[in-house]
Amino acid sequence: MQNFMEAKRIHWYDGMAETVVRDGLSRASETNIGGWDGYYAQVAINEGVNTVLTIDDDLERFDAFVAEVILSPDEFSELNGFLGY
């Protein structure tokens, strides 16, 4: 993470308001994705983010931003194997 500290294009988010969490969980339920992905999507929407880098395609379900999957299917499978899924 230290390598990213000087990056100019990163928007650091330091808020976790209850309404953002609730809205994120509602989005997760509506789109049938995990709660954290719903939360990430809600934060991106609230902050006006144009592009979200992600490791899976769940965030592609939202029209409010472009989701760019940064892992190939093989890389994602390898990651899941590493994580024990």
Side-chain angles (χ1 to χ4, degrees), residues 10-31:
I10 292 177
H11 178 89
W12 299 99
Y13 185 74
D14 64 355
M16 195 167 190
E18 182 180 339
T19 57
V20 176
V21 174
R22 287 187 188 281
D23 291 346
L25 291 173
S26 291
R27 286 188 186 279
S29 178
E30 292 166 3
T31 56

Side-chain angles (χ1 to χ4, degrees), residues 8 17 28 31 38 72 74 76 78-79:
K8 302 298 181 216
T31 56
S72 70
D74 288 340
F76 187 70
E78 183 178 344
L79 175 63

Side-chain angles (χ1 to χ4, degrees), residues 11 43-53 64-66:
H11 178 89
V43 168
I45 291 166
N46 285 7
E47 294 297 314
V49 171
N50 295 316
T51 303
V52 174
L53 302 179
F65 50 80
V66 174

Side-chain angles (χ1 to χ4, degrees), residues 1 7-8 40:
M1 184 175 287
K8 302 298 181 216
Y40 298 147

